[in-house]
Amino acid sequence: MKKNALSRRQFLGTVGAAGAATTVAVSAAEPRPTGWSGSERVDKVATICEMCFWRCGVLASVKDGTVVKLEGNPDHPLTRGRLCARGNAGVGLLYDPDRLKYPLLRVGARGEGKFKRIGWDEALDLFATKLKAIKDKYGAESVAFFPHGLSPKFFATVMSAFGTPNSAEPSFAQCRGPREVGYGLTFGQAVGSPEPLDLESSKLIVLIGSHLGENVFTSQITAFGTAMAAGAKLIAVDPRFSTAASKADWWLPIRPGTDIALLLAWMNVLIGEGLYDKDYIGRWANGFEQLSEHVRAFTPEWASTITDLPAAQIRDTARAMGAAKPAVLVHPGRHATWYGDDTQRARAMAILTALLGSWGRKGGIFLPTPVPKGSFDLPPFPDAPRGRADGAGSRFPLASEELGVTNGLVDATLSGDPYPIKAWVVYGQNVLESIPQPQRTRKALEMLDFVVVVDVMPVEQINYADLVLPEATYLERYDTPTIVTTARVPFIAIRQPVIEPLHESKPGWWIARQMATRLGLDAWFPWKTPDEHLATIVAPMGLNLLELRNRGAVAFKGRPYLEDRTAEEGFIQSSSGKIELYSSDLKDAGADPLPRYTPVEQPPEGFLRLIYGRAPMHSFARTQNNERLHALMSENEVWLHTAVAAQCGVRAGDRVVLANEDGVKSQPVKVRITEGIRRDCAYMVHGFGQGGRWLRRGAGNGASDTGLMSRVKVDPLMGGTGMRVTFVRPVRAAGAP
Ligand code: SF4
């Protein structure tokens, strides 16, 4: 075994010792037996993937300290042995020659990207000295934290103990936030992730802007395939003929921004024709009379002129839903920040789900099953006398104070309102790609006194950092275990190192602990090792810790359906115990208590609406430098309708520059000509066209949709940035073939 290779038996031995010191029973179970990869004997170590945030179960084959293969872990209760192309390509991240290898200190101007190598002690001392100085001068709240993913919990503890409430991740204001707020207002409970979708039992699936198949999460796509093979019907609402639309029984190429009108018309038919689930609504819902009155005028004919869809198609699809209820899955979507009225669209989708009786029913949406979880007895976090700077709970009354509003922190940094923000700590997110209006984000970064980036790869934002700290990849580190309550069976799954960290990278838990020690915050880190940390969290679960380490995941009994709950328990988490079709909370917030369609701005003459999405071989802007995934897709293309391409005089494969209304231009991007997109739209896969020079393979290829988003429409309720409000004009690139 190589010097840096982790001895598997040694590692598991320490687990056993830690487990014995806690209430977790440790049996004499044997480690997972050595396996085979081709003709080689290998150690197989269970962990979870981080090539995206679905957290599939992985088995890593390790030979002499080298990871030779990744495969799906059959013991993982949700993903059951499956990995997608990105999951299989994880070794490409581990052994990427461009990885951040040691701490870096900026020596040039901010943004210039000039650094010198320093050691960890110097880096961490500098971190603590700078943060203490900023706290003394401006207050702890002047430090903002931008986390993302599964791993930032350790850093979040440091920042909260330091005294700042200013933490915001893009998963809320640039992604799922409106959905979670809209469903929360209706059912008293957010949708959550992984989404609790009973696809396999569904008779009819309704996708509204969700392009499953291009957007791949292994278990969801597998269940989708199973449902389709079993004869489920599919309604795909999408301005583009997506992969899912190509499998659909009904494709509704809706005019962008008019989804609420379609949803209201569907409700009109379901209620008007008595096709809704009367017993369910009668027993479990509040506000049916108001809803019924509200949608009376919103006929399919009314919606047809708005949505550009035939009234007969709207009526037919509503009737199909009524016939298949309650086994109808109205997919709640994931990336939901589109037009600035997104909480209301999510509300409309939640109400439709309720009318169909699908929440907590077979073929609809699972109910979560809680799992007992251990916690640490920590001192309370200090108060932040000046409150939050991002507007969560104030300017944006329904924004999550746990997940925050990233763009609210950018606003505060630029304006100094409500108070100056002087430092950013960025962990695991790429603020120039995840937050729209990167022009503003760059300006904010330039204004700061101190910027720290903790990352695995040298994405463009490191150019703006004073200090860059290289984190170990997910295959080299322990993370907080993932406890999933939103699957058919709830489960715990663990991430554990399959080899020791390469180069001078360090696991996040170690970096965070070191930060805490240097800031005098040790009281918030009562555990010393990952083993102690894990043992405390799993203590109330009654698990065999060694078995958990060996298998990587352990499931519990699920109670996913309404029938699994007693009448006293109920299944709706709102304060009334009922589904709130009519939302008094919204009324109190000065908003429409029932969703209403309000027209969105349409593209001016000569411009197209820019829509964007995912490709199965890439995750956001995270994977473009991965050798294997780059080989599968090295750049994105812009989809243009045949008639639009003819008007612009471009042919398939030509390169065009996209220019937005503010004159912002993309890099040249290849044209794909198709009948499968509306004439008023252009489409691109997100994550390409990144700047920076450190990603030798992944930067600079194709066009960046984020770069073109110089305008957004902010949801006044929760602060999310509507990002489908960018209009672009394709212009043939100079010197293009
Ligand atoms: S869907 Fe793919 S990339 Fe995402 S966690 Fe699963 S295997 Fe990894």
Side-chain angles (χ1 to χ4, degrees):
M1 190 172 277
K2 283 183 188 164
K3 191 168 164 276
N4 70 346
L6 196 66
S7 155
R8 180 162 164 69
R9 280 177 191 272
Q10 207 175 32
F11 180 64
L12 290 167
T14 63
V15 173
T22 72
T23 58
V24 174
V26 177
S27 81
E30 279 301 304
R32 183 184 288 276
T34 302
W36 292 88
S37 177
S39 57
E40 290 186 318
R41 281 186 81 82
V42 291
D43 281 338
K44 296 214 174 193
V45 187
T47 189
I48 49 178
C49 183
E50 196 186 48
M51 295 298 282
C52 82
F53 299 109
W54 203 249
R55 297 168 270 178
C56 299
V58 172
L59 280 183
S61 296
V62 182
K63 171 91 177 156
D64 298 334
T66 299
V67 180
V68 292
K69 184 180 170 186
L70 301 177
E71 62 196 307
N73 178 3
D75 288 339
H76 191 279
L78 183 64
T79 58
R80 296 184 235 157
R82 295 186 188 86
L83 292 185
C84 75
R86 295 161 296 163
N88 278 301
V91 284
L93 174 68
L94 178 64
Y95 296 118
D96 192 319
D98 292 344
R99 260 182 74 171
L100 289 166
K101 299 181 181 69
Y102 31 76
L104 296 170
L105 178 67
R106 176 167 68 85
V107 292
R110 197 183 292 287
E112 201 182 1
K114 282 199 180 150
F115 297 97
K116 73 169 183 179
R117 175 179 182 169
I118 58 172
W120 274 102
D121 277 337
E122 185 182 351
L124 292 162
D125 286 346
L126 179 75
F127 172 86
T129 307
K130 285 282 192 185
L131 251 66
K132 280 181 190 163
I134 288 169
K135 183 175 183 172
D136 288 347
K137 197 163 174 193
Y138 302 103
E141 305 99 318
S142 63
V143 177
F145 178 43
F146 290 81
H148 196 218
L150 177 63
S151 328
K153 292 197 172 67
F154 304 121
F155 294 89
T157 302
V158 177
M159 300 316 295
S160 297
F162 177 75
T164 179
N166 289 317
S167 169
E169 41 188 290
S171 60
F172 185 76
Q174 281 69 50
C175 194
R176 297 186 271 133
R179 179 189 85 178
E180 306 302 35
V181 174
Y183 279 70
L185 287 164
T186 313
F187 296 108
Q189 174 189 310
V191 173
S193 176
E195 283 77 19
L197 313 177
D198 195 6
L199 280 155
E200 280 131 322
S201 307
S202 191
K203 292 187 191 150
L204 174 60
I205 299 162
V206 183
L207 300 179
I208 303 177
S210 282
H211 50 306
L212 294 187
E214 288 152 289
N215 184 17
V216 166
F217 302 119
T218 54
S219 54
Q220 195 175 113
I221 195 70
T222 307
F224 181 47
T226 305
M228 297 303 289
K233 301 272 187 225
L234 176 64
I235 299 170
V237 181
D238 200 318
R240 184 176 66 92
F241 193 60
S242 63
T243 304
S246 73
K247 314 278 178 227
D249 298 270
W250 295 271
W251 174 41
L252 279 61
I254 193 166
R255 174 181 286 135
T258 65
D259 310 79
I260 295 178
L262 172 66
L263 289 157
L264 290 170
W266 275 342
M267 293 179 211
N268 170 288
V269 176
L270 289 172
I271 295 174
E273 300 188 9
L275 299 173
Y276 66 99
D277 191 328
K278 298 189 190 77
D279 291 345
Y280 180 94
I281 289 291
R283 170 76 182 85
W284 294 110
N286 279 336
F288 179 73
E289 290 309 317
Q290 289 108 313
L291 175 69
S292 186
E293 182 57 33
H294 178 69
V295 301
R296 188 160 310 170
F298 303 137
T299 61
E301 286 70 24
W302 166 82
S304 175
T305 57
I306 296 168
T307 58
D308 223 3
L309 301 169
Q313 192 182 40
I314 297 173
R315 194 165 271 113
D316 287 351
T317 43
R319 287 174 180 161
M321 284 184 238
K325 71 175 184 303
V328 181
L329 181 62
V330 180
H331 193 305
R334 193 167 171 94
H335 171 70
T337 44
W338 297 355
Y339 303 106
D341 59 356
D342 304 300
T343 301
Q344 291 290 6
R345 187 186 64 252
R347 273 270 299 152
M349 291 166 70
I351 292 170
L352 179 66
T353 298
L355 287 177
L356 295 163
S358 310
W359 184 267
R361 304 289 280 286
K362 211 167 164 54
I365 306 248
F366 291 132
L367 302 173
T369 310
V371 173
K373 179 185 167 196
S375 60
F376 297 92
D377 190 15
L378 301 182
F381 292 128
D383 285 339
R386 290 180 292 174
R388 301 181 66 98
D390 63 354
S394 53
R395 181 156 65 114
F396 307 119
L398 302 182
S400 159
E401 296 197 26
E402 191 193 339
L403 298 173
V405 181
T406 51
N407 38 302
L409 288 180
V410 176
D411 293 346
T413 306
L414 290 170
S415 67
D417 181 22
Y419 50 78
I421 298 289
K422 291 293 179 183
W424 284 13
V425 178
V426 180
Y427 172 83
Q429 74 161 283
N430 180 346
V431 293
L432 292 173
E433 287 295 330
S434 58
I435 308 173
Q437 300 181 292
Q439 302 81 0
R440 299 178 85 240
T441 310
R442 276 195 185 87
K443 206 182 277 177
L445 283 163
E446 279 161 7
M447 290 169 60
L448 292 162
D449 288 359
F450 190 52
V451 180
V452 183
V453 170
V454 184
D455 211 329
V456 170
M457 295 299 295
V459 294
E460 185 192 356
Q461 67 185 3
I462 72 159
N463 287 349
Y464 296 86
D466 296 275
L467 187 60
V468 181
L469 303 178
E471 198 195 18
T473 67
Y474 69 95
L475 293 167
E476 303 158 298
R477 66 173 196 252
Y478 168 79
D479 270 336
T480 304
T482 179
I483 298 172
V484 171
T485 58
T486 50
R488 190 189 301 270
V489 289
F491 63 92
I492 179 171
I494 56 166
R495 176 170 293 144
Q496 57 187 336
V498 306
I499 60 167
E500 286 183 347
L502 297 177
H503 317 295
E504 291 178 23
S505 68
K506 295 284 186 187
W509 68 265
W510 182 90
I511 301 172
R513 275 200 113 268
Q514 292 291 325
M515 287 175 167
T517 298
R518 283 164 167 85
L519 289 168
L521 307 174
D522 276 331
W524 281 271
F525 283 81
W527 49 273
K528 298 275 181 300
T529 65
D531 309 321
E532 286 179 30
H533 184 261
L534 178 64
T536 302
I537 290 176
V538 304
M541 297 178 188
L543 297 179
N544 177 321
L545 200 54
L546 188 56
E547 185 186 347
L548 177 61
R549 289 281 196 186
N550 280 336
R551 295 178 58 194
V554 172
F556 305 93
K557 188 172 170 354
R559 300 164 70 221
Y561 300 122
L562 167 54
E563 298 74 45
D564 300 321
R565 313 284 159 130
T566 62
E568 297 72 48
E569 259 183 310
F571 73 109
I572 303 297
Q573 303 302 318
S574 66
S575 53
S576 64
K578 296 276 188 81
I579 301 166
E580 304 293 356
L581 301 174
Y582 177 96
S583 171
S584 306
D585 288 347
L586 281 175
K587 187 158 185 279
D588 294 345
D592 283 327
L594 289 160
R596 186 176 301 283
Y597 165 70
T598 44
V600 303
E601 200 183 334
Q602 293 300 318
E605 184 66 31
F607 283 82
L608 308 166
R609 186 183 300 275
L610 180 63
I611 54 177
Y612 50 85
R614 304 275 305 270
M617 63 291 276
H618 284 290
S619 295
F620 319 111
R622 295 166 61 93
T623 51
Q624 282 70 15
N625 209 59
N626 185 300
E627 185 178 6
R628 298 175 184 200
L629 301 175
H630 177 85
L632 292 174
M633 182 181 183
S634 60
E635 61 181 318
N636 59 355
E637 299 175 319
V638 58
W639 290 35
L640 298 177
H641 188 273
T642 315
V644 172
Q647 250 168 17
C648 301
V650 294
R651 290 164 305 178
D654 281 356
R655 288 188 186 268
V656 294
V657 167
L658 300 175
N660 77 7
E661 288 179 286
D662 296 324
V664 176
K665 291 186 177 150
S666 74
Q667 292 195 98
V669 58
K670 247 191 216 170
V671 170
R672 171 172 175 173
I673 297 175
T674 172
E675 298 281 326
I677 188 166
R678 285 177 57 96
R679 292 173 192 218
D680 50 5
C681 295
Y683 170 82
M684 286 194 304
V685 169
H686 168 72
F688 287 87
Q690 294 179 51
R693 61 192 165 86
W694 307 95
L695 302 180
R696 284 175 288 183
R697 194 178 292 117
N701 307 318
S704 166
D705 55 326
T706 309
L708 287 163
M709 291 172 190
S710 54
R711 299 181 191 186
V712 293
K713 193 88 168 49
V714 175
D715 188 318
L717 293 169
M718 48 65 68
T721 48
M723 296 191 273
R724 297 203 174 155
V725 297
T726 298
F727 303 132
V728 295
R729 206 160 39 88
V731 182
R732 206 153 182 276

